[in-house]
């Protein structure tokens, strides 16, 4: 079974000036930051009980000082994930009433 965490983490760490962590840690002290989690890693089995493929969904959250900075980082994240053959599946601005941190939640889908 393929575990995508290592390759996703390594690829996101290529983003310059952005701290990266798994969402389970969800601790960052500086902005901008990106957190991620594997939201799905379902296997498809052949009749011989072998793994034929895996449907993977990676959830990524972008945290930034401004909306434009968050959008710029999302564009960089999308390009990096496309290098790993993941497709942007959804993207949404998450409301924050005090406007102190701008947050975009997105997900990427891939098949292995």
């Amino acid at each position: 079974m393929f575990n995508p965490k290592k390759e996703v983490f390594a690829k996101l760490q290529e983003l310059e000036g952005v701290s990266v962590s798994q969402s389970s840690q969800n601790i960052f002290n500086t902005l901008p930051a990106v957190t991620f989690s594997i939201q799905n890693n379902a296997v498809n089995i052949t009749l011989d009980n072998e793994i034929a493929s895996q449907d993977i969904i990676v959830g990524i959250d972008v945290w930034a000082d401004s909306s434009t900075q968050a959008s710029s980082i999302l564009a960089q994240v999308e390009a990096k994930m496309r290098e790993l053959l993941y497709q942007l599946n959804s993207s949404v601005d998450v409301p924050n009433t005090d406007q102190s941190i701008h947050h975009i939640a997105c997900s990427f889908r891939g098949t292995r």
Side-chain angles (χ1 to χ4, degrees):
M1 184 171 132
F2 173 71
N3 185 340
K5 281 184 192 175
K6 185 176 180 178
E7 80 168 6
V8 170
F9 184 62
K11 185 56 71 175
L12 293 175
Q13 284 187 310
E14 294 176 6
L15 298 167
E16 292 186 31
V18 178
S19 64
V20 178
S21 62
Q22 289 187 25
S23 291
S24 61
Q25 299 158 345
N26 207 15
I27 298 171
F28 51 88
N29 296 319
T30 60
L31 294 176
V34 169
T35 57
F36 78 97
S37 66
I38 306 304
Q39 296 177 342
N40 186 43
N41 192 5
V43 297
N44 300 305
I45 303 294
T46 67
L47 294 175
D48 295 326
N49 202 29
E50 299 293 327
I51 295 174
S53 64
Q54 292 175 232
D55 297 321
I56 302 167
I57 297 176
V58 180
I60 298 179
D61 294 279
V62 177
W63 311 87
D65 289 314
S66 70
S67 178
T68 54
Q69 183 184 43
S71 294
S72 174
I73 293 168
L74 174 59
Q76 295 171 52
V77 166
E78 189 279 329
K80 293 294 183 186
M81 292 300 288
R82 200 166 1 107
E83 290 176 15
L84 295 176
L85 304 178
Y86 288 89
Q87 180 178 336
L88 181 62
N89 193 44
S90 69
S91 173
V92 63
D93 289 317
V94 179
N96 180 1
T97 55
D98 69 5
Q99 298 287 317
S100 61
I101 296 177
H102 295 268
H103 178 199
I104 299 174
C106 56
S107 67
F108 293 81
R109 180 175 294 256
T111 302
R112 297 277 191 232

